[in-house]
Every structure is written in C-alpha cells, then in structure tokens.
Amino acid sequence: MLEYLRNAADKPVAKVLIGILAFSFVGWGVAEWVFGGGVRDNTLIRVGGQSITVEQFNMERARQMANLTKEQQKQIYTDAAAAGTFMNTVAATLTNNQLVENRADDLGFVVTDRRIAREIREFPEFQVNGQFSSLLFDTVLNNSGYSEQAFAAFLRGQVLRSMVLGSMSVPFAVPDFAVRAAYNARYAQRKIEYVALPFSDFQVGTPTDAQLAEFYAQNPHVIPETRTVSYVLIPAQMDKPDAYDAAYATAQRVEDDIIGGETLAAAASRHRAKHVSLGAFSADKRPVDAVLTDAMVAKIFAMDEGLESELMETKSGFVIVRVDKVVPAHNAEMADVKKNLVADWKRDQQKKQAYVRANEIVVDARDGGAMPGQKTATVSRTSGAPTDVLVAAFNGNTGDISVVPGTNAFYAVRIVDEIAPQMDTTKMAAVRKELQNMATRNVMDDYNAFLVREYPVKINQKTFDKMFAK
C-alpha cells in the first residue's frame, strides 16, 4: 500500500491529468487592492475555495529545482524563457494537485493523523535497520526544507489524490469487436492497379509574352517583407551574478545614451559594447546569428520602423535592437522573375496535360477498357506504392476507379480487392493497449473539464507579478 502511495505521482493517470489540466488563470477583481485587502493577502492562486500561498509555491519550486540536473538549473537561471516555463510548471503542479484534493474533500475522503504517522514510519528513507529513526526523519526533512507539518500535509494530499485518481488507473475494458475493427483497419492490405503519369513525360513549347503575362496575373511572385536590423550587445556571463550586475549597469548606460539621441553604433563604441548591422532579411530567411532566436525574430517583425527595443536579456548578454528599415511584402516585377516564370508555366501546362490523360484512362477503364502501362500491387497503409496512391487505396471501396493527384504526377487507380490481415496476437495486444490508453485520455479530458468547472482557478495577479517581475 505504501509503495503505491509513494509512487502515486508517477502513475500514468496522474501524469495524464497533470499534462492536460490547463494553467488558464483569471486575475481576480481589483477592488480588494483598491480597498487595501491585497496588502495582507499571501495567496498566490485560488482553486475553488482553497488557496495556494506564496510559501507553498516557493517550497514546491525548491523541491522541483532540487530534482533537476545542474545543467537544467543553470538554464533556468540564465534563460528567461526556460525560467518562465519552469515557474508555470510549478504553478500547474500545485493547481492540479489542489483541484484533485478539492474533489477528495467534496467526496468526504479523510486521511487520519494515525494513518499519516503509520505511513511515515514505513518510509525506508526514515528507517535504520528496519526501524523508524526520528533522528533520520528530522535530518531528511531539514535537508529537504520541509517542516513536520508541511511534510504531513504533502503526504496527506498525495494519499487523497490517490483516492480520487486510483480507480482511473484500472485499464478500460475495450470490446473485442472494437479491437478487431481497429486491427483490421490498420493491417489489412489492398490489391490495386494503377498508372503513373509524371508531369515531366509531357512536352510543351516556349510561352509567348502574352501567355506569361496572363499566367503571372494569376500566379504573382510575392517578395516577402524584409527588415534591415542592427543591434547593440553588451556581452556577459549571465549565470554569474557579479558579471550579470556589471553588464546590466553598462547596458542601462547604453540605453540612456540611445534614448538621449545617440546612434546605436556611437553608444556601443562609448561603452565598449558590440554593434552589429545585420542588413535586410525576411522572417524565413535570416542570417546566422546567435541573437536571432525565433522569439527575437518574432519581436523584430512586430516592431515599427525606426524604433529601438527595450533592454532584453539573451544567453549572450543584454541586447537593444533597432529596426532601421521595413520593406513591405510586394509583387515582384515580371521581368525580374521571367526565368522562373517560364519554368513554372511549363510545369503548369504539363500538369494540365497529365490530368487530361489520367481522366481519359479512368473513363476508358470504367467502360471496361484496360489501363495502358498499369502496375499491379498488393499494398499496406505504409508501403507498396507512392504515398498518394496508398491513401486513395484505403479511402475508397473495392471496384472504385479514380484520378489521384500527386506532387509530381497524376495517377489512375483501380481498387481490385481487399485482403484481410493474418492474426498476430502480439500486434493485437498492442492495438488493445493503444485503445485502452485512448479511452483513458478521453475520460481524463472529461474529468479535467469537470474539475475546472467545479473549482474555478484564479491567480492573484498583483502578487504573481511582484514575484516574477524582472
């Protein structure tokens, strides 16, 4: 029993619940802050009628941090995005736990002090030679940052959550017919006949200027928006407090100079920072630069021309970015893209001819004619023919004849026969397990929606902002 409780948090059901519960907080009213009630409020998150305090958050944060590797801890200290993700994980864990404990309370579940004492005595971590050691108990708790009361509350919550979620860990009984249907759908084969008509097999001439102009009007070549960007980097070892503080002070002086009217290059030179001019680039084709992360590029393409960003932290140091010029997306001049336009026109004409020929073959085949150059194949859902043909083979019925579009060809496809799969007990068991997991996830989704409706989650936005303000 103890082993079950101690491992409850690692059970698949608990993991699924933690994974699917949304950390969707709604800040509560401003009135209490206006009237002074928030000054004494130590609550960080409210879940239904229960509160999660700042102290609880800090304890859970320390517990989760202790379970990370040194490299992971370093990333959290130096990477703002990683730190934000970690803080959200801590808050989500506490919120998810409280949701389930609220449900346990409403169901009338009780964990007595006597039971908690018994469970504590049976923990191997607190035993010496098979006997409970109060000295070892105190030592372990002190090292982990728990008081006796806090650890007892943690253990009580774990037991209560296991009471609520324990029944959901029992595998769902999936009907045999459903398993057989899924097995047959996955492992059945189809016998097909098909003709491939590659676009490149069809010859076309050289287009006239009038034909190119008409084609370009229907298929303009759009040049994406580009931005000319420069930035100042104040390098720093962001994981070393002294280096961080010194660089931050320098970065603030650089920022003050820029606000005062100096150029980025002049401000960088004055304070021995690094000035980089990246030139023009689009969001999809950007230069290789450590500063240009996905998040940074998204920010750059949301800025207005001629403006500088606020002071930003990166792994390399502090950065101020300026958008020097914006060239909006626009259609290219036809003369500038004529070479590519000719190739595109030829491919379009080849594609049209291939489509016409594929339709002719399909019409003849439906009238009882043969499909010239056909291939015969027995295919599974993943092999035996081009992917587009496989999809069509299993989407239709026996006897169907159709034109199937592909990336570089059209296909005329006839579904000749359906071949039932041979029974494989190992594969059948795997399908049953997969269906059981799907059923569990569906139930957990419904249960999650119920808990969120029953116990609304709100965050004390003022306290939260104070805790995580840069």
Side-chain angles (χ1 to χ4, degrees), residues 68-88:
L68 300 178
T69 64
K70 289 184 177 179
E71 189 62 33
Q72 290 171 326
Q73 292 176 359
K74 179 180 178 181
Q75 184 179 16
I76 290 171
Y77 287 129
T78 59
D79 187 336
T85 299
F86 175 72
M87 296 304 181
N88 282 338

Side-chain angles (χ1 to χ4, degrees), residues 249-262 267 271 320:
T250 301
Q252 286 181 311
R253 290 193 291 272
V254 171
E255 186 177 38
D256 290 341
D257 288 348
I258 293 172
I259 293 173
E262 287 198 15
H271 299 283
I320 299 174

Side-chain angles (χ1 to χ4, degrees), residues 17-30:
L17 182 61
I18 289 174
I20 66 177
L21 283 175
F23 184 36
S24 303
F25 295 130
V26 180
W28 57 63
V30 189

Side-chain angles (χ1 to χ4, degrees), residues 22 41 49 57-58 67 100 120 128 148 157 176 201 210 329 360 379 384 392 428 468:
D41 193 353
F57 183 92
N58 288 335
N67 291 332
V100 181
I120 289 175
V128 176
E148 289 187 26
D176 290 340
D201 286 355
E360 291 173 349
V379 300
M428 182 73 83
F468 304 121

